[in-house]
Amino acid sequence: MEKQYETVIGLEVHVELATKTKIFCGCSTAFGGEPNTHTCPVCTGMPGSLPVLNKRVLEYAVAVGLATNCEITKYCKFDRKNYFYPDNPQNYQISQLYLPICRNGNVEIETENGKKLVGIHEIHMEEDAGKLIHDEWDDCSLVDYNRSGVPLIEIVSEPDMRSAQEVIAYLEKLRMTIQYLGASDCKLQEGSMRADVNLSVREAGAEAFGTRTEMKNLNSFKAIARAIEGERERQIDLLESGHKVIQETRRWDDAKGESYAMRSKEDAQDYRYFPDPDLVPVVLDNAFLDEIRRKQPEFREDKMARYKREFDLPDYDIDIITAAKRMADLFEATVALGAQPKKVSNWLMVETLRLLKEKEMDPEDIRFSPEHLAKLISLADSKAVNSTVAKEVFEEMFENDIDPEKYVEEKGLKTVNDESALRRAVEKVIADNPQSVTDYRGGKEKAIGFLVGQTMKAMKGKADPGMVNQLLKELL
Amino acid sequence: MSILDKTATELGAAIKNGEVTVMQAVEASLSRIEESESLYNCYVTVDREGALAKAQEIQKKIDQGILTGPLAGVPTAIKDNMCTQGLLTTCSSKILGNFVPTFSAQAVLNLERAGAVILGKTNMDEFAMGSTTETSAFGETKNPWNPGHVPGGSSGGSAAAVAAGECFYALGSDTGGSIRQPASFCGVVGMKPTYGTVSRYGLIAYGSSLDQIGPLCKDVRDCATIMEILASHDPKDSTSIKRDDTDFTDALVEDVKGLRIGIPRDYFGEGLDPEIKEAVFGAAKVLKEKGALVEEFDLSLAEYAIPAYYTIAAAEASSNLERFDGIKYGYRTQNYSGLHNMYKKSRSEGFGPEVKRRIMLGSFVLSSGYYDAYYLKALRVKALIKKAFDDAFAKYDMILGPVAPATAPRLGESLSDPIKMYLGDIYTISVNLAGLPGLSVPCGIDSRGLPIGLQLIGDCFQEKKLIRAAYTYERARGGFAGPMQNTGSGVSGGSAGAGEEA
């Protein structure tokens, strides 16, 4: 009988924190500036420069720790991880090894077999490295330190996951929690959330873990799922053919759907970690922790229950709206302006999601304001615009956050309610389309659709289609 | 009295009342530098143009009443491990031989704000690693008392420059005695403040948890005056401490009545030059006569300080010096193939042997499998040393002892035996490990004509007690002839002594 294997997966997730300034200096963390413009002596490792901890980083790290049921280390330290690489200006990275800020947490995920807890081994704070740009034409490498010193937290899970589905569920849960905290936008594509997958396989029922590999360069949930499947199969094939799995770091090539070895444990570097003497130990008191606890937002589960209670929305709607903090915020703000909850929900679930998907955007990227959405809903409610026009206006709003009232006014999109004008248009359509009129009168009900269309066209889409229909029937 | 004979505060007062112009002071310093640099090599860089321009600017501000501080217009020198914007800063190393910082160290800014005129950057042991200033990549500095001898180190250039009249005072840095020991060897006053009192921002780190900037100067009044300018809370340095007791000149009073002074017996055992013992006990006697309560006690642990110090300092240094890789600034090898070869060659060619020795030592004690046995154990020793001092300061206001077991060795004597050189730090390094303030004040001249230093060690934040005791002692001791006054004719006096020993 064929052997059954179990996959054992643990994750190391790096999250870029949404602070305005870097972790140890006052430089901007903004993405995409000209190379080396968001830099100073500290984040370029100039001799004599010294790091000073950004308090916001600590607050975010603690907030994430509390939201993931971690113990908070009240006396924590930063350590230096020593290794030479040009993207690392001091040739050591300031990180945490011995006393990380958070330990022993967990998050609950939904699996095929119900709820499951995934343990969190630790969360530590550290600085990001710069970026190397290899110029193949000039045969040289350039370094951009804009990202050097951008604050990161690394969330290290226990090896508690058993499938790609569980990994994705865990990552989505983490992402949602962190987005709800406002601690990061967690975009995999832009690298503000990065996951390394530690994976091993063992025979079903075995106690001991197999030898694990670490997979890097996973830029989307899909890539993660594919990499997990690929690595699981690779390891099983090795074992089945009598080989051993080598402990190593591998790089996933999503385009090719395969991975290759980067470095093995044998050439793993000795990072010579030791406490950074330039930074004093961080001592947290209860007042600090209480303040962060007090500021924790309403998380998804609580929000879902409240939406049900307060707005009486269908579960399906609630599930979609609360899946992203940005959506939920928009929803609540628009409802607060007096819009009817179900109508707001419809705009978010249907048109907003459609456009996000079409434009490959995240909910975090939504630009339009709740005020504008509320105005649009009120325009549609009062039949000032018909639904086709409303959708057009919404698209414009989605793109450029225009004020729908002004836009409708300026573009003259208001529905024409002047019956005499409409009557004149309908009369002209009837006169111009004798064939359709004959067809309709001859019993072809469908012909009226064409006539409605012609009238709407003549009215430049600004008529109420119901009213046109009624007039046509009357005049025919 | 010639300009150069004045102390920094005397010169500051003379400039203030118009007796001397800043330009005269700067020109006097520059011409002394011109005369004697070829003999002593105190400086890596002399910024003649910069100093002359600054002299005019400062004079104007003094005339306009903008600068009124006690040291406005007084020429100074900065140890070459402190960043000076636009002025070469080498750490006396080939690897930083071309490095011009884009910003100035906070300590330098504090001096500049007080109207200092910077004459140049002083020579030092490479990256402050050494006790003789012989590990400099730019040649050794010689002791103005006798150019056949070293000035001590690592702030040897600063100490020698003050002794030789090539500046009125200088900044040094002290990681294991690097201010106090050269001050002692060169017959000047030097102080290492409580860790955290002077900002380390812009000080190119050797052992970050031990490094502290302090003054080298002609007398205790200068020391207190400079300390008032240097001490400041700096938000750019996480280890900087907010203090409201930095009015150090208030401690310039001749009064030690009731001051409890402890003399550690283990500082006077084997290995201490008997002439130093005599001079130090002589100083203790003076303080006793002035009303201090002096007694001997056992400090112990001193013998563990050296291995703990060299473990911690080397560990930190091995990491601190990683940034010197030839990529962003500093020396890069000419020929290389690939990144790692470039790193290796740049660093092999750029660092001198003592620096390499400490990088290797530090990398070893931090490496996996040895961390607990060496680095963590050294940290535990450090904590025990602090505890031993805490116990001592429960009984005494200060500890009195020698600065070094011997006076300045002859050139070349120390480099051949690094262990012996390391042992020379026995009385100074425990002060750094415990973060305490220490002050070195001249207390005699040995039979070879070389100065002897007295060390006063205080509890954290007790600089004022040290200043009070040192000031009282200095007044009682009377004038301390500098190397120039020794033979009357400045530079030749020093050189005359060069070959007197067989």
Side-chain angles (χ1 to χ4, degrees):
Chain A
M1 200 185 95
E2 212 175 295
K3 282 182 188 167
Q4 294 294 310
Y5 287 93
E6 181 181 45
T7 319
V8 176
I9 308 166
L11 292 190
E12 290 167 23
V13 178
H14 284 90
V15 174
E16 234 172 47
L17 296 178
T19 54
K20 288 197 177 67
T21 56
K22 293 185 178 179
I23 183 167
F24 298 122
C25 63
C27 290
S28 166
T29 54
F31 184 76
E34 285 290 303
N36 296 307
T37 52
H38 301 163
T39 55
C40 74
V42 176
C43 57
T44 52
M46 296 305 272
S49 66
L50 292 171
V52 176
L53 178 63
N54 178 345
K55 199 177 164 203
R56 281 302 278 153
V57 173
L58 192 64
E59 289 168 359
Y60 278 142
V62 169
V64 173
L66 290 173
T68 51
N69 308 306
C70 286
E71 294 161 12
I72 307 299
T73 313
K74 285 188 173 175
Y75 179 87
C76 83
K77 282 185 181 178
F78 284 93
D79 302 298
R80 291 187 187 173
K81 178 181 182 178
N82 298 283
Y83 66 95
F84 279 80
Y85 206 63
D87 64 2
N88 175 11
Q90 307 152 119
N91 287 320
Y92 58 79
Q93 179 195 28
I94 305 179
S95 180
Q96 295 191 294
L97 177 74
Y98 295 109
L99 293 167
I101 182 74
C102 310
R103 280 193 279 220
N104 301 329
N106 59 65
V107 296
E108 192 181 73
I109 58 166
E110 300 279 348
T111 73
E112 294 166 329
N113 312 315
K115 290 184 192 305
K116 173 176 179 172
L117 283 183
V118 175
I120 289 180
H121 182 75
E122 68 170 66
I123 301 177
H124 60 254
M125 301 175 275
E126 61 186 25
E127 56 179 342
D128 208 346
K131 212 164 78 183
L132 286 182
I133 297 145
H134 304 286
D135 188 331
E136 306 210 347
W137 293 99
D138 266 353
D139 191 24
C140 72
S141 294
L142 302 166
V143 59
D144 174 8
Y145 289 123
N146 282 354
R147 203 180 61 187
S148 167
V150 166
L152 299 176
I153 49 173
E154 181 174 342
I155 305 166
V156 183
S157 84
E158 298 291 353
D160 287 348
M161 287 158 278
R162 297 291 176 266
S163 67
Q165 289 79 0
E166 290 187 12
V167 167
I168 303 301
Y170 168 76
L171 282 171
E172 280 183 334
K173 183 64 183 271
L174 272 189
R175 181 165 73 165
M176 193 132 49
T177 306
I178 294 167
Q179 285 177 346
Y180 264 74
L181 287 166
S184 174
D185 56 11
C186 291
K187 291 182 184 168
L188 269 81
Q189 272 84 356
E190 286 182 21
S192 60
M193 186 178 199
R194 292 165 237 165
D196 298 338
V197 172
N198 284 289
L199 185 148
S200 63
V201 296
R202 62 180 170 188
E203 272 190 62
E207 286 270 318
F209 290 129
T211 305
R212 69 186 153 89
T213 60
E214 182 181 348
M215 190 72 69
K216 288 186 177 290
N217 194 39
L218 304 167
N219 301 323
S220 68
F221 283 166
K222 280 180 193 152
I224 290 169
R226 278 194 289 265
I228 288 171
E229 287 310 320
E231 182 59 11
R232 172 189 154 85
E233 273 164 37
R234 193 188 68 87
Q235 290 192 14
I236 292 172
D237 284 351
L238 278 172
L239 297 176
E240 292 278 311
S241 58
H243 293 90
K244 279 182 177 169
V245 173
I246 300 165
Q247 188 174 339
E248 61 191 358
T249 304
R250 303 181 66 82
R251 185 181 167 87
W252 179 251
D253 185 334
D254 201 45
K256 289 188 182 147
E258 57 187 37
S259 65
Y260 59 91
M262 287 167 75
R263 54 177 182 264
S264 77
K265 197 198 172 194
E266 277 68 49
D267 29 80
Q269 296 181 53
D270 182 350
Y271 291 120
R272 292 177 283 116
Y273 277 101
F274 77 109
D276 191 328
D278 287 333
L279 288 159
V280 288
V282 178
V283 184
L284 301 179
D285 57 16
N286 287 329
F288 179 84
L289 297 181
D290 288 345
E291 179 62 14
I292 291 178
R293 262 189 213 105
R294 201 183 56 74
K295 285 195 288 196
Q296 292 289 78
E298 177 186 44
F299 286 106
R300 192 183 186 201
E301 286 73 17
D302 296 334
K303 218 181 250 306
M304 289 173 97
R306 183 166 62 85
Y307 282 14
K308 183 94 190 145
R309 206 168 58 236
E310 269 178 36
F311 307 121
D312 192 29
L313 290 179
D315 290 344
Y316 180 79
D317 291 37
I318 294 177
D319 195 56
I320 289 179
I321 292 171
T322 59
K325 171 83 166 18
R326 181 90 178 96
M327 282 278 214
D329 287 348
L330 246 178
F331 171 78
E332 288 180 37
T334 313
V335 170
L337 292 166
Q340 199 212 324
K342 179 60 188 155
K343 284 192 175 148
V344 180
S345 162
N346 287 345
W347 279 107
L348 293 178
M349 288 196 323
V350 185
E351 284 305 293
T352 308
L353 277 192
R354 179 180 69 79
L355 288 170
L356 284 176
K357 204 166 175 188
E358 201 178 293
K359 298 180 192 301
E360 294 182 346
M361 285 164 62
D362 283 328
E364 302 300 310
D365 303 324
I366 292 174
R367 282 188 293 265
F368 64 82
S369 68
E371 287 76 18
H372 292 166
L373 179 56
K375 279 186 185 176
L376 181 63
I377 291 172
S378 123
L379 285 173
D381 278 354
S382 65
K383 305 227 169 186
V385 294
N386 63 44
S387 65
T388 317
V389 172
K391 279 181 195 168
E392 271 174 46
V393 176
F394 180 79
E395 271 195 48
E396 192 58 32
M397 205 174 91
F398 185 91
E399 276 294 304
N400 303 314
D401 192 24
I402 45 94
D403 179 335
E405 279 174 6
K406 276 191 196 149
Y407 186 78
V408 165
E409 200 65 49
E410 279 164 18
K411 303 266 167 184
L413 295 174
K414 264 218 170 107
T415 307
V416 177
N417 292 319
D418 177 353
E419 207 189 307
S420 61
L422 203 54
R423 191 177 287 269
R424 277 199 300 279
V426 170
E427 281 166 357
K428 188 163 189 297
V429 166
I430 289 172
D432 290 350
N433 297 280
Q435 185 58 49
S436 298
V437 171
T438 315
D439 288 351
Y440 177 75
R441 288 185 175 142
K444 271 193 180 171
E445 285 279 333
K446 268 203 255 169
I448 199 162
F450 175 76
L451 295 170
V452 171
Q454 289 302 303
T455 315
M456 290 303 285
K457 199 173 160 191
M459 294 299 292
K460 299 199 171 87
K462 294 180 293 184
D464 176 357
M467 218 162 133
V468 173
N469 210 328
Q470 204 187 328
L471 267 174
L472 268 170
K473 282 182 178 164
E474 189 189 312
L475 292 173
L476 288 171
Chain B
M1 193 187 199
S2 102
I3 292 176
L4 292 177
D5 290 334
K6 292 184 191 299
T7 65
T9 29
E10 284 166 357
L11 176 65
I15 288 171
K16 207 175 196 175
N17 66 29
E19 237 173 85
V20 178
T21 65
V22 180
M23 191 56 87
Q24 283 170 334
V26 170
E27 278 173 345
S29 297
L30 288 172
S31 67
R32 171 57 65 87
I33 289 171
E34 212 154 275
E35 282 164 38
S36 57
E37 257 307 87
S38 58
L39 267 172
Y40 305 137
N41 191 35
C42 301
Y43 286 86
V44 175
T45 304
V46 176
D47 184 20
R48 198 186 165 82
E49 305 306 312
L52 290 170
K54 195 80 179 177
Q56 276 181 326
E57 183 193 319
I58 298 282
Q59 184 68 59
K60 211 177 274 172
K61 285 186 179 165
I62 292 170
D63 295 345
Q64 291 166 343
I66 297 168
L67 276 172
T68 56
L71 296 182
V74 178
T76 184
I78 310 290
K79 187 178 181 179
D80 212 19
N81 61 351
M82 287 169 230
C83 289
T84 40
Q85 191 176 346
L87 186 61
L88 197 65
T89 299
T90 69
C91 285
S92 288
S93 179
K94 185 178 172 186
I95 211 156
L96 283 181
N98 60 2
F99 177 64
V100 179
T102 56
F103 66 96
S104 287
Q106 188 58 46
V108 171
L109 292 176
N110 285 4
L111 288 188
E112 286 182 331
R113 204 168 299 148
V117 179
I118 294 168
L119 296 166
K121 306 297 291 289
T122 55
N123 199 13
M124 55 187 278
D125 281 296
E126 185 180 3
F127 283 103
M129 297 177 188
S131 311
T132 63
T133 313
E134 290 169 295
T135 69
S136 166
F138 306 115
E140 72 268 11
T141 296
K142 297 180 181 78
N143 193 320
W145 290 76
N146 184 332
H149 290 251
V150 303
S154 65
S155 311
S158 289
V162 174
E166 292 188 23
C167 64
F168 287 85
Y169 69 99
L171 290 192
S173 67
D174 191 317
T175 308
S178 282
I179 289 174
R180 291 158 290 156
Q181 185 254 33
S184 154
F185 284 6
C186 291
V188 300
V189 171
M191 183 172 210
K192 178 235 170 254
T194 304
Y195 186 76
T197 300
V198 180
S199 168
R200 293 188 299 113
Y201 195 84
L203 169 67
I204 301 177
Y206 159 25
S208 313
S209 71
L210 308 164
D211 295 341
Q212 222 8 231
I213 292 170
L216 290 115
C217 48
K218 293 184 179 177
D219 67 7
V220 177
R221 177 175 295 278
D222 281 3
C223 176
T225 309
I226 300 158
M227 275 303 301
E228 270 185 15
I229 295 167
L230 286 180
S232 67
H233 172 69
D234 183 1
K236 296 190 301 304
D237 173 2
S238 308
T239 62
S240 169
I241 294 168
K242 215 172 245 170
R243 293 181 62 172
D244 54 7
D245 59 346
T246 55
D247 46 350
F248 299 111
T249 51
D250 284 9
L252 293 168
V253 286
E254 271 188 85
D255 178 16
V256 290
K257 276 188 203 75
L259 209 64
R260 297 161 304 164
I261 298 176
I263 299 182
R265 271 186 209 99
D266 37 337
Y267 277 28
F268 293 87
E270 212 184 321
L272 178 66
D273 183 330
E275 287 190 69
I276 295 177
K277 184 175 177 178
E278 199 189 318
V280 170
F281 271 110
K285 207 175 145 207
V286 169
L287 287 168
K288 198 171 177 181
E289 280 161 8
K290 289 279 171 187
L293 309 168
V294 181
E295 65 176 41
E296 292 184 32
F297 77 110
D298 292 311
L299 182 60
S300 70
L301 285 175
E303 60 184 300
Y304 302 108
I306 289 179
Y309 169 81
Y310 279 95
T311 302
I312 294 168
E316 292 179 4
S318 71
S319 175
N320 285 333
L321 270 57
E322 279 165 354
R323 68 186 67 202
F324 308 112
D325 58 7
I327 301 253
K328 306 165 292 282
Y329 43 74
Y331 174 80
R332 184 187 291 183
T333 186
Q334 295 292 308
N335 304 302
Y336 54 89
S337 56
L339 177 66
H340 283 272
N341 184 249
M342 182 175 91
Y343 281 150
K344 273 185 196 164
K345 286 188 74 183
S346 299
R347 287 168 64 84
S348 299
E349 293 161 19
F351 288 131
E354 184 59 31
V355 173
K356 284 180 196 162
R357 187 178 295 125
R358 294 193 198 190
I359 289 175
M360 283 190 279
L361 175 61
S363 301
F364 175 75
V365 299
L366 289 178
S367 56
S368 152
Y370 296 97
Y371 178 82
D372 291 13
Y374 292 100
Y375 184 73
L376 276 191
K377 191 176 274 179
L379 286 187
R380 282 196 289 271
V381 171
K382 181 183 175 185
L384 286 174
I385 287 171
K386 178 76 172 74
K387 172 82 175 46
F389 275 114
D390 286 346
D391 293 345
F393 290 120
K395 287 187 287 179
Y396 305 110
D397 292 304
M398 71 186 63
I399 291 168
L400 178 151
V403 177
T407 52
R410 295 167 65 89
L411 288 168
E413 215 171 64
S414 311
L415 283 188
S416 54
D417 188 353
I419 297 292
K420 193 180 165 195
M421 182 170 80
Y422 294 175
L423 290 175
D425 299 336
I426 180 116
Y427 306 126
T428 45
I429 51 182
S430 51
V431 173
N432 298 76
L433 288 170
L436 307 172
L439 188 152
S440 170
V441 57
C443 70
I445 292 173
D446 74 0
S447 50
R448 300 184 300 178
L450 293 166
I452 299 169
L454 166 75
Q455 183 176 211
L456 300 174
I457 302 165
D459 199 357
C460 286
F461 314 120
Q462 298 302 321
E463 284 88 349
K464 282 159 95 174
K465 282 183 186 167
L466 304 185
I467 288 166
R468 182 147 64 98
Y471 182 71
T472 306
Y473 167 72
E474 190 182 60
R475 302 282 290 200
R477 181 203 67 198
F480 193 80
M484 307 305 161
Q485 288 92 330
N486 242 356
T487 48
S489 61
V491 176
S492 59
S495 57
E500 72 190 272
E501 290 162 61

